[in-house]
């Protein structure tokens, strides 16, 4: 049992390293969280080691434990680090690899390692191809736009032409006073066209708001890492 558990643990760590490598490769442009990479790296090893021990008791116990782990890790992910929905794919990817290694340990461990390796290659290829080809990419992107204006500037209809030209839809969601009432922050929800020059878009807005702050943002990552 000890040797089987060690082999499953080592195989799980190897699978985690490979999966986290694929995650980093497919997130070079959009950025990624180091804590999320660590989670994807260690998850297969944890599941493989635990299910290996449960498999020694009985296959039914191992299967029940696998289902329970899937629910626990999924809920933890949803509640603690909401972000890009496609990241959930890598959680299930890591969980599946760990489950294959752990559940097969009591039957034929080498067959389990082969199945895990083949499934990793196929799924990793699909993820990389989708990322490189841009499959499913929309012609617009949902973004948040914040424009700061002086208190004496009438913003009603001021930015309509620029927004109509560069977006497919937009809506003013919030107006907030800042700097002791001397400035206003206008927050828009927009569907920006992907083929526009974003710098020119921002420059056009700055010409209208007195060259004050303009912020255009996607998702917010507190510890995002970007590869050069």
């Amino acid at each position: 049992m000890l040797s089987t558990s060690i082999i499953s643990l080592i195989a799980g760590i190897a699978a985690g390293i490979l999966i986290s490598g694929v995650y980093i490769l497919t997130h070079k442009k959009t950025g990624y969280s180091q804590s999320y990479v660590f989670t994807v790296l260690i998850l297969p090893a944890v599941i493989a080691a635990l299910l290996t021990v449960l498999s020694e008791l009985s296959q039914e116990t191992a299967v029940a434990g696998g289902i329970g782990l899937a629910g626990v890790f999924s809920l933890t992910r949803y509640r603690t680090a909401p972000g890009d929905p496609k990241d959930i794919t890598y959680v299930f990817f890591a969980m599946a690899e760990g489950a294959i290694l752990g559940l097969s340990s009591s039957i034929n461990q080498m067959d389990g390692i082969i199945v895990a390796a083949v499934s990793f290659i196929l799924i990793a290829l699909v993820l990389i191809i989708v990322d490189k080809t841009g499959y499913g990419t929309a012609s617009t992107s949902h973004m948040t736009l914040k424009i700061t204006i002086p208190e004496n500037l009438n913003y009603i209809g001021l930015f309509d032409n620029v927004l109509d030209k560069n977006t497919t839809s937009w809506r003013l969601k919030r107006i907030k006073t800042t700097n002791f009432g001397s400035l206003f922050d206008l927050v828009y929800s927009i569907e920006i066209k992907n083929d526009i020059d974003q710098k020119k878009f921002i420059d056009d807005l700055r010409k209208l708001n007195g060259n004050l702050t303009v912020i255009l943002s996607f998702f917010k990552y507190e510890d995002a890492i970007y590869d050069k």
Side-chain angles (χ1 to χ4, degrees):
M1 177 179 176
L2 180 60
S3 60
T4 301
S5 300
I6 292 175
I7 293 173
S8 294
L9 182 60
I10 294 173
I13 292 173
I17 292 173
L18 292 172
I19 294 171
S20 63
V22 174
Y23 178 80
I24 291 171
L25 178 64
T26 57
H27 286 71
K28 285 184 176 180
K29 293 182 180 180
T30 58
Y32 53 88
S33 165
Q34 185 181 26
S35 59
Y36 189 82
V37 172
F38 177 77
T39 300
V40 172
L41 188 154
I42 206 66
L43 192 54
V46 172
I47 293 179
L50 181 56
L51 292 185
T52 298
V53 175
L54 293 178
S55 294
E56 295 295 329
L57 301 177
S58 70
Q59 283 296 309
E60 292 77 9
T61 302
V63 172
I67 296 173
L69 282 172
V72 169
F73 282 112
S74 298
L75 289 173
T76 301
R77 167 62 189 163
Y78 297 148
R79 294 181 181 276
T80 59
D84 192 340
K86 71 180 180 182
D87 288 351
I88 300 170
T89 302
Y90 289 88
V91 172
F92 288 120
F93 188 8
M95 289 168 54
E97 291 292 304
I100 292 171
L101 293 170
L103 291 173
S104 62
S105 60
S106 64
I107 303 174
N108 191 320
Q109 192 166 41
M110 186 53 63
D111 285 349
I113 292 175
I114 293 173
V115 171
V118 172
S119 62
F120 166 79
I121 292 172
L122 294 177
I123 296 173
L125 278 175
V126 171
L127 292 172
I128 293 172
I129 291 172
V130 168
D131 176 70
K132 298 302 180 183
T133 60
Y135 176 77
T137 302
S139 59
T140 63
S141 298
H142 179 72
M143 301 184 73
T144 297
L145 173 67
K146 186 172 79 170
I147 305 174
T148 300
I149 62 172
E151 63 172 339
N152 59 352
L153 183 65
N154 184 6
Y155 59 84
I156 303 298
L158 179 63
F159 305 105
D160 290 9
N161 290 336
V162 178
L163 291 172
D164 290 340
K165 180 181 177 181
N166 294 277
T167 71
T168 57
S169 65
W170 57 270
R171 183 177 65 174
L172 180 60
K173 296 186 65 176
R174 187 179 67 182
I175 304 169
K176 178 183 177 182
T177 60
T178 61
N179 200 29
F180 299 101
S182 62
L183 299 173
F184 281 76
D185 282 339
L186 310 180
V187 179
Y188 293 85
S189 175
I190 66 175
E191 288 290 335
I192 190 170
K193 299 175 183 177
N194 288 335
D195 58 350
I196 68 163
D197 185 340
Q198 291 187 9
K199 182 181 184 306
K200 186 177 184 304
F201 174 44
I202 293 175
D203 287 342
D204 289 343
L205 293 172
R206 290 170 59 205
K207 291 175 183 177
L208 298 173
N209 78 331
N211 202 30
L212 294 176
T213 302
V214 175
I215 299 175
L216 190 62
S217 60
F218 282 105
F219 297 104
K220 180 180 179 182
Y221 295 103
E222 294 183 355
D223 53 349
I225 298 173
Y226 296 86
D227 287 352
K228 295 182 179 179

